[in-house]
Amino acid sequence: MTITRWGIIGPGKIARKFAAALHLVKDASLVAVASRDLDRAWEFAREHGANHVYGTYEELAADQNLDAVYIATPHGYHAEHALLCLRQGKAVLCEKPMALSARQVKEMIEAARASNAFLMEAMWTRFLPLMSSVMGLVESGAIGTVKYIRADFGFLAPFNPEGRLYALRLGGGALLDIGIYPLYLCLQLLGRPQQITAAGHLAPTGSDDTCHAVLQYSDGASAVISSTLACNTSLTAEIAGTAGMIRIPTPWYKNDRLEWNRTGEPVQAVALEPMVNGFEYQIREVMECRERGLVESPSLPHSFSLMMAETMDEIRQQIGVRYPSE
């Protein structure tokens, strides 16, 4: 595999985890970082070994020495910054959610295809050994036909009207930031729901600090997802089938173990490959797809990210969250 030269837009907390993961991946190299705060960019570059620093995102997108860019800015800017890079022919790994709405996701997909540039949502849980094990158990019929999924993600986040978790202009809200994890699990295993019933509570800024949804399917399957910034939750998940159940302990979205059993049989514990960072798996996926000349990942295709965005649009519509760009 040829070396993939990476750039990062938005040197925040999650970008630091991503940069650390790059050092774990063979043939991955961090070359450049961009921030509107040049001092912050230089600090990040020195910490993680990048040789080039830019004070505008346009400059990084135009850098001909870059092959791929990780978008790590707040949700409200994902589409704008990804489009800058895609239109320059760069491969893009865009932090989840891909964008604020399905309309923006469609625009990103169209740009990727027009430029023949790779685009993938950074739903890192999808590429962990955990999900490979869960999907393997389900696809093998070990627990029968999946009929019910329950997953939650909640933590206590003090209200800050200007912070990324609550400000509408930044794409704030529990659903897009953390509710996307349980939603991903349900859509991965059950597909697009036939009916959605959502409820939630809005913060003073108009973003959702709590969001719950019930997804119902034509075959009688259902899923219950919960996300909140108002308290800590169990961070567990259950996948129940006609012949057994899978249980993922805390924190379910990044664990290296799970339990499962067939109905009436002893519980089996499964120990998985220990994570070092967790982001290294999605980085390898981008690089392998790019090596093959693909514009999307077969494991997390554009159509899946669009389905997630459309589902979140419907949930937000029901609970009353509307972003300024809409």
Side-chain angles (χ1 to χ4, degrees):
M1 186 179 292
T2 57
I3 292 177
T4 298
R5 300 165 298 180
W6 284 86
I8 293 177
I9 287 180
K13 180 180 178 181
I14 199 164
R16 280 181 159 78
K17 183 172 182 178
F18 182 86
L22 283 177
H23 295 294
L24 302 174
V25 179
K26 182 181 178 182
D27 296 323
S29 174
L30 177 59
V31 172
V33 60
S35 173
R36 293 192 174 118
D37 182 338
L38 204 53
D39 289 338
R40 189 180 182 203
W42 273 115
E43 179 186 355
F44 188 96
R46 286 191 292 267
E47 181 181 349
H48 296 285
N51 294 323
H52 300 279
V53 167
Y54 295 106
T56 71
Y57 303 141
E58 290 82 1
E59 289 176 292
L60 183 141
D63 187 340
Q64 296 303 304
N65 293 313
L66 293 180
D67 303 305
V69 180
Y70 174 58
I71 308 296
T73 46
H75 308 156
Y77 302 111
H78 285 179
E80 175 188 345
H81 299 155
L83 288 169
L84 282 175
C85 299
L86 291 168
R87 289 166 179 163
Q88 291 283 352
K90 302 289 190 296
V92 168
L93 176 63
C94 185
E95 190 49 58
K96 55 81 193 160
M98 183 87 89
L100 295 183
S101 66
R103 177 185 60 79
Q104 290 184 341
V105 171
K106 287 177 184 176
E107 186 178 6
M108 295 162 71
I109 293 170
E110 290 168 0
R113 293 176 179 170
S115 299
N116 196 34
F118 181 83
L119 169 66
M120 190 179 86
E121 188 170 15
M123 179 51 65
W124 65 298
T125 299
R126 168 64 184 88
F127 300 99
L128 297 178
L130 170 72
M131 280 310 304
S132 297
S133 181
V134 168
M135 292 168 65
L137 285 168
V138 170
E139 290 166 5
S140 72
I143 63 167
T145 302
V146 174
K147 287 296 183 180
Y148 172 75
I149 299 174
R150 184 210 56 79
D152 68 83
F153 197 144
F155 65 93
L156 179 60
F159 179 65
N160 175 5
E162 299 301 318
R164 70 169 189 86
L165 291 175
Y166 289 100
L168 282 178
R169 65 181 178 83
L170 300 178
L175 175 63
L176 265 63
D177 195 71
I178 53 178
I180 192 171
Y181 286 99
L183 177 62
Y184 155 74
L185 179 67
C186 299
L187 298 186
Q188 183 69 63
L189 298 180
L190 292 175
R192 186 186 295 274
Q194 181 184 45
Q195 182 179 339
I196 301 168
T197 305
H201 180 268
L202 304 188
T205 55
S207 63
D208 56 303
D209 59 23
T210 298
C211 179
H212 309 286
V214 177
L215 313 180
Q216 295 175 296
Y217 293 82
S218 58
D219 67 351
S222 62
V224 178
I225 60 173
S226 296
S227 56
T228 182
L229 303 173
C231 61
N232 296 314
T233 65
S234 69
L235 299 180
T236 59
E238 300 170 351
I239 302 155
T242 54
M245 179 180 288
I246 299 169
R247 301 172 188 81
I248 312 174
T250 307
W252 75 261
Y253 60 94
K254 63 173 184 178
N255 220 306
D256 56 10
R257 61 191 179 91
L258 60 83
E259 296 178 344
W260 76 279
N261 70 291
R262 290 184 66 82
T263 304
E265 296 183 6
V267 172
Q268 300 185 47
V270 179
L272 305 164
E273 175 186 329
M275 288 189 303
V276 178
N277 175 290
F279 280 19
E280 63 268 31
Y281 300 97
Q282 65 178 347
I283 292 171
R284 292 191 189 107
E285 177 71 9
V286 174
M287 292 169 58
E288 290 168 5
C289 288
R290 184 176 167 275
E291 188 82 1
R292 295 164 59 191
L294 303 179
V295 297
E296 62 184 319
S297 164
S299 299
L300 191 65
H302 295 162
S303 59
F304 188 90
S305 290
L306 182 58
M307 176 173 62
M308 281 211 296
E310 290 169 342
T311 305
M312 290 191 293
D313 280 358
E314 172 61 24
I315 293 172
R316 288 194 299 108
Q317 190 277 327
Q318 290 190 29
I319 64 177
V321 176
R322 186 176 179 86
Y323 293 111
S325 60
E326 296 179 295

